[in-house]
Amino acid sequence: MRYKYCPYCGEKLTQIKAGDDGMVPYCTSCDKRWFDTFNSCVIVLTYNELDEIALSNQWYLSKNYKSLTSGFMVPGETAEECAKREVKEELGLDIETLEYAGTYWLDPPEQLMHGFIGFAKKKQLVLSEEIDDAEWIPALEAPMSMFPDSPGGPLYEVYHKYLRLRGFE
Ligand SMILES: [Zn+2]
C-alpha cells in the first residue's frame, strides 16, 4: 500500500528524501515518513513420520484443489510463531520442528509469503471452521491434489524443497 494521506491526521502527504530509499511520502504536520507497506503471510507444508502431507480445502476457492496451510501474520508475532499457530488453528496439529523455506512475493495482492516446512506426528486432523476438508496425502501423490503451480510459485517451491529435504529428489 502506498500512502497518499497521513493515517494519523488525514493531511495530504508530501515527499521527503530518505537517504538511499529516495523520495518517500511525508506528513509535515506529524513529521513522519510513511513507507510503502504490504501484508506478510505464511505458507506451511506439514508432513508426518510416514511422509504424508496435510492438504486442505476451502470450497470457496476450489472444490477440486487442495493447498498447504496459509494465513496472515498479526502484529507482534514472528513468522515462525504464525506458522505454528496457523497449523494448530486450521488442522489441530502441533508442529515439532520447523524449517524455513524462503520467501515469495505475490503481486497482486502485494503479499510477502514466508514458506515453512513443519513436522508434526500423524494424528486425526481437527479442522477449524474456515477449512472445509483436509487429509493426509502421501507426499509423492500430493501434486495431483494441489493447485497447479510453476517454478517460482510458493506451492511449487515449498513442495520441492520438502522433496529435497526428505531425499525424494
Ligand atoms: Zn499527519
Side-chain angles (χ1 to χ4, degrees):
M1 183 167 70
R2 284 145 194 94
Y3 292 101
K4 288 183 179 166
Y5 298 91
C6 177
Y8 288 167
C9 73
E11 188 163 300
K12 196 167 195 319
L13 300 176
T14 59
Q15 299 270 315
I16 194 169
K17 183 146 180 23
D20 294 338
D21 294 323
M23 302 302 283
V24 297
Y26 175 70
C27 178
T28 49
S29 299
C30 299
D31 185 26
K32 183 161 173 55
R33 296 178 293 183
W34 292 98
F35 289 92
D36 298 343
T37 62
F38 51 85
N39 288 314
S40 292
C41 47
V42 298
I43 182 164
V44 192
L45 181 154
T46 306
Y47 72 98
N48 63 27
E49 64 274 28
L50 303 175
D51 276 301
E52 295 168 327
I53 292 176
L55 292 182
S56 57
N57 249 17
Q58 288 178 287
W59 289 339
Y60 82 94
L61 291 174
S62 169
K63 289 257 184 186
N64 299 322
Y65 294 122
K66 293 183 167 62
S67 193
L68 303 176
T69 303
S70 58
F72 288 96
M73 290 170 62
V74 297
E77 77 180 347
T78 65
E80 287 80 0
E81 288 164 347
C82 179
K84 291 179 181 175
R85 175 179 58 74
E86 288 289 344
V87 169
K88 181 72 175 175
E89 283 175 6
E90 293 191 3
L91 303 171
L93 297 173
D94 294 298
I95 295 279
E96 294 183 10
T97 59
L98 198 61
E99 307 262 348
Y100 199 58
T103 55
Y104 307 90
W105 176 249
L106 302 184
D107 187 12
E110 292 202 338
Q111 291 173 3
L112 183 66
M113 283 199 124
H114 296 257
F116 288 96
I117 297 167
F119 172 81
K121 285 202 186 79
K122 183 169 187 176
K123 64 172 192 166
Q124 183 77 35
L125 301 174
V126 181
L127 309 187
S128 76
E129 282 181 6
E130 66 180 71
I131 302 298
D132 296 303
D133 187 26
E135 59 183 319
W136 290 109
I137 294 182
L140 297 177
E141 296 171 20
M144 289 182 278
S145 305
M146 279 160 59
F147 280 94
D149 199 7
S150 47
L155 278 175
Y156 182 99
E157 294 295 337
V158 172
Y159 175 69
H160 283 273
K161 280 183 181 172
Y162 161 80
L163 292 182
R164 291 195 288 277
L165 179 77
R166 301 293 298 158
F168 289 113
E169 74 171 23

